[in-house]
Amino acid sequence: MILAKTTSSSIDLQTDRRFELPCRDIIAVSVKKALLWHSVEIRTRSHVEKLPCLGEEAAQRLSTDLHRFINRYLLELIGSDQEALRQVDAMLEQLIEGKRQYLAQADLGRAIASVSGPVAAALAHPLFDPDGITSRMEETLPRSLSFLTDPGRRHRYNDEFVAAELIRYGPFFDDLDGRSLSGQQREACIRLEDSNLLVASAGSGKSATMVGKVAYVLDKQLYRPDEILVLAFNRTAAEELRERIARQLGVEPDDLACKVTTFHALGRGIIEEVEGKPPQLANWVDHPAGEARMIEAITEGLLSSDQDFARTWIDLLVLYPKADIPASVFDSEADYDRYISARRRGANATIGTLGGTFVNSLQEQTIANWLWLHSIDFEYERQITVEEEDGNVRHVHPDFYYPASNTIHEHFAIDADGSSPFTNYVDHADNKMAAYRRAELDVFTTTSAQANDGSLLLHLAAELAQRETPVRQRSHKDVLKAVEPVVIKHFHKLIGVCIKHIRAGHLTLDMLLERANALHDKKRARTFAQAIWKITSAYSKKLEDDARIDFDAMIANATRLVEEAQYKSLYSLILVDEFQDISDPRANLIKAFRHQKPFSKVFAVGDDWQSIYRFAGSDISIFTQFEANFGASWQGRLELTYRCNQVIADAAANFIQKNPAQLKKAVRSTRPAVARSIRAIPLIGEKGKPDFDEACLRLLKRLDQFLGGIANHWRSDGSHKLKVMVLWRYNMLDPFAGGLPRFEHIEVSGLSFHRAKGLEADYTILLDVSEGEYGVPSRIEDDELLNLVMPQPETYSYAEERRLFYVALTRASRGVFLLMNGRQPSRYISELAEIAGADFRLETIDGEALAACPICHVGRLVEKTSRQGSRFIGCTQYPDCDHTAPVSIRRQ
């Protein structure tokens, strides 16, 4: 791709074709990162040109060259007519005089554009950059144009305007949407830059701010009602916003002239208006579980019709349920142990296999599961006697022993260069092999190097075939019966995310396979890439055969109609709720509206701390990198929460901000601190499996009895019952299958963490806040396979799981109870205990305080006996926590 011959007023680009673009028609030039490459996107007033397959440096250089060339042309126009500049000056002076309104670049541009001629058009051009104005040229410009050339002057003007407007509109904001808005809410209503991001906190009144924004701009007559578009992500949220805005404006919801709708309804309406008929949506998209069922049906169809896919899918479920990630990637050895382990055996983390054996590494799990899949009998770590060089006898435990051929199989953690991450490991392996040779035992080895290059199982199969080991592949039915349903569900969820990104980004199988080489577990990634490509192809074919589209395609089609100006936008102000849930296709639709209608503005509201819908296609980087996506912006904060008391607010804020990628906020509460309002309850059940259903019911009874005893304190506000919300990470923990229990003083509800978002209660009870594959954080959700399709993947461990726990934690105003497996408490409880200090309490289910370990905070201090028979105080979380103290410490 090259910049071919250009004139002073147009750009001639040559790729696989040649096209000329007039500079005045180009309204935006941006660099976009795709999966493997970057592209330069050139938006004109009628269409979008995309220049793909560029390296990052080449894309940035081309973008810079285009900006520079366009600006040179615009500056030539501006300097060509002094009389036109004087007319522009007069128009700007009228706008500035009296400080009647907030002035964004778009407001200046609109005023300038009302003056006819090329000079005004150049000054109002979206790509005009005043930094290119020379000092000599600046001397000839009228005074008012310093608003364009000196950003500081415009910012000072706007700060003064906001201060004055806060006073002028004080009574207006004192009673808006049934409340008096906070200072930050009021400023957010008044500020109106071209792009605006309001970063909210949980329970901080963001919906009230959106209602206030609409009411304010209409009262100021800055926009007509039909120029305002309010977008929500679901029908319930849109209906609530419509009703609240209508109530504030004193009209019936059906008579509201502002457009308040969902992205889906908007996309459907755009297509219907242009094409004269609504889009034909696939019949599964409107059902909550429709997509999951369709993916399941496609997978089952491919299993029965495509032998290659069947092998790939079974390999995924059996051999690669989890990525084999090196221990060095994790922050600590404990984190790595948590990642790999299914249980503890002494001080060692162990991993379960489909045959019921527990092994020590993910590579050994792959081997054991392959042997199970092929019905090969083996013993794990069978004791064998060997003779040392000095004649001494010792007992060794080879990894695998095959009785059919009396063969030993050692799997060594040795890399391609012959080294090992473990101290003295190579020498130990050499000594072991020498002992086997002296004993003339039949032995073969596999290594981590083979696992890394994908040849491990091929080598294993060849060695066993050489020994004529009988092999019988298990049936698909037997395999699917043995694999835990949550593993299959996990892959289905991953597939749902990947389909969206593959279709939206026009990704190819070669792109996926190349990206797979950048992941830690390359073999697993390549296997998944092959499977997801066939599933996506079948999904697309299903839509094509049925002549239907899904929601993402509908949004993409609507975006294209806006970009090509087949749909004429009415909207000059676009408000977006829950912006943390934005996806790339939806962001592109907003940008298309912005670019089609000059001087339009975006006001986005959301909380990046509550971004929990990655599985639905959301991309948090669009929020956290707002300016990179939407240009220079004003960013405000809503840091006053009306929900959580200050203890919960502080603890939750410090907890979520451990991820440095989350935007910073200092959360304050309207509710005073409630001492010890975060309580953790360790439960010990039979075989390490506590009965959370029974414990939940006991805690609810205790809470009902306690609140009944202090009813005179909380009934003063007219409440007859306090709300208690029971929350869980996975629906299999739902304790209310037989119906919700009834109590005298509390009203109980139960929901998953995800479904609780946006809701609130007086108290919450969080079930099974424990470590585990399906615990908190859920180890299966933070899967590196998502990096196959996401251009900007998150790098912080369990980033979305942390946000999800934050959502669950911030539903309560008065107190939070965390029920946990006493043998495997979640790492998050330890973090909260350290953060909350004295306001965190470890107690029994009946409310009796427990002596918490001062080091890990989640273990209990109990008396123990050493091997020598002496008594001491130790932590119940040993070996994770080895804190000890003299017995006298506890007795004091």
Side-chain angles (χ1 to χ4, degrees), residues 32 43 559 563 583-593:
K32 296 194 70 174
R43 288 180 180 265
T559 301
E563 289 175 339
S583 63
D584 203 48
R586 288 163 179 77
N588 288 337
L589 179 58
I590 296 169
K591 292 175 187 177
F593 275 117

Side-chain angles (χ1 to χ4, degrees), residues 204-245:
S204 61
K206 61 183 179 57
S207 296
T209 309
M210 295 187 73
V211 174
K213 188 80 168 181
V214 172
Y216 170 76
V217 300
L218 290 177
D219 189 80
K220 291 280 290 185
Q221 298 183 355
L222 299 176
Y223 301 96
R224 299 189 313 273
D226 62 353
E227 291 182 299
I228 298 175
L229 171 65
V230 181
L231 288 169
F233 277 82
N234 62 67
R235 191 179 298 119
T236 302
E239 288 173 355
E240 181 187 346
L241 279 170
R242 185 184 300 109
E243 290 172 2
R244 290 173 68 169
I245 292 171

Side-chain angles (χ1 to χ4, degrees), residues 185-209:
Q185 287 176 306
R186 296 176 190 218
E187 182 178 2
C189 291
I190 296 168
R191 293 273 182 186
L192 201 58
E193 290 291 344
D194 299 350
S195 299
N196 306 267
L197 179 66
L198 185 59
V199 184
S201 303
S204 61
K206 61 183 179 57
S207 296
T209 309

Side-chain angles (χ1 to χ4, degrees), residues 356-374:
T357 303
F358 283 82
V359 297
N360 294 321
S361 74
L362 289 170
Q363 290 172 13
E364 288 184 348
Q365 180 194 49
T366 298
I367 293 170
N369 282 352
W370 186 89
L371 296 170
W372 174 87
L373 180 63
H374 294 86

Side-chain angles (χ1 to χ4, degrees), residues 385-575:
T385 302
V386 295
E387 188 176 295
E388 297 281 16
E389 237 176 337
D390 59 6
N392 289 329
V393 172
R394 71 174 175 125
H395 303 292
V396 296
H397 299 83
D399 296 319
F400 300 92
Y401 170 74
Y402 304 108
S405 58
N406 195 25
T407 301
I408 290 170
H409 168 197
E410 289 282 11
H411 180 71
F412 290 134
I414 295 177
D415 296 326
D417 62 0
S419 66
S420 173
F422 306 109
T423 305
N424 299 324
Y425 185 90
V426 175
D427 290 340
H428 173 71
D430 288 343
N431 290 337
K432 212 172 186 183
M433 291 301 295
Y436 291 148
R437 285 192 295 271
R438 284 193 299 273
E440 297 183 346
L441 298 173
D442 180 30
V443 61
F444 70 88
T445 65
T446 54
T447 65
S448 293
Q450 292 167 339
N452 294 334
D453 67 21
S455 65
L456 169 63
L457 297 179
L458 293 174
H459 185 78
L460 173 60
E463 291 284 357
L464 293 175
Q466 182 181 326
R467 291 162 175 80
E468 298 182 348
T469 304
V471 173
R472 180 179 60 81
Q473 178 94 13
R474 294 183 189 268
S475 69
H476 295 164
K477 183 179 179 181
D478 288 345
V479 170
L480 296 176
K481 185 177 179 181
V483 174
E484 291 184 80
V486 282
V487 172
I488 299 173
K489 184 178 179 181
H490 168 63
F491 276 113
H492 284 165
K493 186 181 284 189
L494 275 175
I495 289 163
V497 180
C498 292
I499 286 174
K500 296 176 191 300
H501 285 283
I502 290 170
R503 285 168 51 81
H506 306 289
L507 306 183
T508 65
L509 177 58
D510 286 341
M511 289 180 180
L512 298 177
L513 291 173
E514 185 169 346
R515 184 62 176 248
N517 291 326
L519 271 57
H520 294 105
D521 195 333
K522 297 174 179 57
K523 177 63 175 176
R524 178 176 185 257
R526 288 194 293 266
T527 303
F528 182 77
Q530 296 282 359
I532 186 59
W533 180 252
K534 288 199 172 184
I535 294 171
T536 303
S537 299
Y539 180 95
S540 297
K541 187 175 187 302
K542 171 68 175 170
L543 289 171
E544 185 179 336
D545 290 347
D546 293 350
R548 300 293 177 105
I549 59 174
D550 61 8
F551 278 142
D552 291 317
M554 183 177 70
I555 297 294
N557 291 348
T559 301
R560 176 179 53 80
L561 295 176
V562 176
E563 289 175 339
E564 295 174 353
Q566 294 187 57
Y567 174 84
K568 301 296 183 183
S569 173
L570 300 171
Y571 309 116
S572 297
L573 177 61
I574 302 170
L575 295 91

Side-chain angles (χ1 to χ4, degrees), residues 809-854:
L809 197 62
T810 53
R811 298 309 94 193
S813 62
R814 295 169 177 259
V816 180
F817 293 89
L818 308 165
L819 301 188
M820 61 181 180
N821 184 329
R823 292 189 175 92
Q824 291 182 302
S826 167
R827 69 196 76 180
Y828 290 167
I829 295 182
S830 180
E831 285 187 37
L832 283 175
E834 190 170 349
I835 290 167
D839 286 314
F840 175 90
R841 174 181 163 101
L842 194 69
E843 64 182 28
T844 68
I845 194 68
D846 298 315
E848 180 184 347
L850 293 171
C853 172

